[in-house]
Amino acid sequence: MNEIMWAVDVEGSGKSPPEIVELAIAEMKGLTLTGRRKHWRFKPKKGISPMASHIHGIWDDDVVDAPDIEDVADDVLLWLEDKAIVGHNVKVEVDILSHALEGWEPTAAYDTLKIARRLLPAEEKHGLEYLGSALGLSPLAEKITGGKSHSAPFDAVLSAILLDHMLRDRTEEDQRAILAGADILDGAQGSFL
């Protein structure tokens, strides 16, 4: 499997409607991180709620000089255009990015949460932070990004590492079937495995 896709994570403003405060992408070729990554921070029009800041650690002062997403939308689109994305509960990323980037739609959106619930039924929880810790994957994400849970670069990379962990020992045919079943954009999704 040699498909190029992007592991994606966004951190939001916590306001309604939600605005993107941080966006990170990490390129994957098949199940392997290539080392190509991109990270942006944006200044939301309505500021960041204290609750959201407590979760991701980004405060209004941290983005006071950051651009509006509209100012760099063309750059973001150049990276993401015509590619599949991967994320944990990826519907959040699809919804907020589709709203912020007019006309953007990934070729596929593979949900690692959906895959984890199916392939890791014995795990007590299926949140990204929990699985990263329980499966011993978080230290590698920390080493690659220098970050921690709930930062967009860390969560994007951890989603990629989790996907690799869940699928690497399976046949290519199984990998493709699992990904097809976890594509939230495919209206004809069936169960996988």
Side-chain angles (χ1 to χ4, degrees):
M1 199 172 89
N2 287 320
E3 177 182 12
I4 298 290
M5 52 191 165
W6 290 100
V8 177
D9 189 72
V10 297
E11 299 299 329
S13 64
K15 302 273 181 112
S16 185
E19 294 179 83
I20 300 173
V21 174
E22 185 175 50
L23 167 62
I25 60 175
E27 186 183 57
M28 301 175 72
K29 184 172 184 179
L31 301 176
T32 305
L33 285 165
T34 67
R36 287 184 69 204
R37 293 179 286 150
K38 188 75 174 160
H39 173 237
W40 298 268
R41 281 198 174 170
F42 306 108
K43 181 179 179 179
K45 291 175 178 49
K46 295 182 181 180
I48 306 169
S49 76
M51 186 172 153
S53 291
H54 282 290
I55 292 169
H56 53 55
I58 303 168
W59 298 84
D60 286 323
D61 288 347
D62 297 322
V63 294
V64 71
D65 294 324
D68 293 338
I69 192 165
E70 294 84 13
D71 294 337
V72 294
D74 289 342
D75 184 40
V76 175
L77 285 169
L78 281 174
W79 286 82
L80 291 177
E81 200 166 42
D82 300 324
K83 298 286 188 261
I85 65 169
V86 173
H88 206 72
N89 194 18
V90 75
K91 183 176 182 343
V92 172
E93 280 72 25
V94 169
D95 288 350
I96 198 166
L97 285 168
S98 295
H99 180 74
L101 304 170
E102 190 175 323
W104 173 79
E105 185 176 324
T107 58
Y110 304 122
D111 190 352
T112 57
L113 174 60
K114 188 173 184 175
I115 296 170
R117 285 180 174 151
R118 190 73 164 185
L119 299 182
L120 304 171
E123 292 300 332
E124 183 179 320
K125 300 176 190 173
H126 293 95
L128 185 60
E129 184 175 10
Y130 174 85
L131 289 174
S133 178
L135 300 173
L137 307 175
S138 293
L140 179 56
E142 286 178 23
K143 181 179 176 184
I144 291 170
T145 66
K148 299 273 186 206
S149 183
H150 298 297
S151 75
F154 177 91
D155 287 353
V157 165
L158 184 56
S159 294
I161 293 168
L162 175 62
L163 182 66
D164 176 56
H165 175 83
M166 292 186 294
L167 299 186
R168 85 171 71 119
D169 294 332
R170 297 180 178 272
T171 67
E172 187 169 330
E173 183 179 337
D174 283 350
Q175 291 172 357
R176 290 188 186 285
I178 290 165
L179 287 173
D183 181 359
I184 67 162
L185 301 180
D186 182 3
Q189 289 182 46
S191 63
F192 52 90
L193 292 183

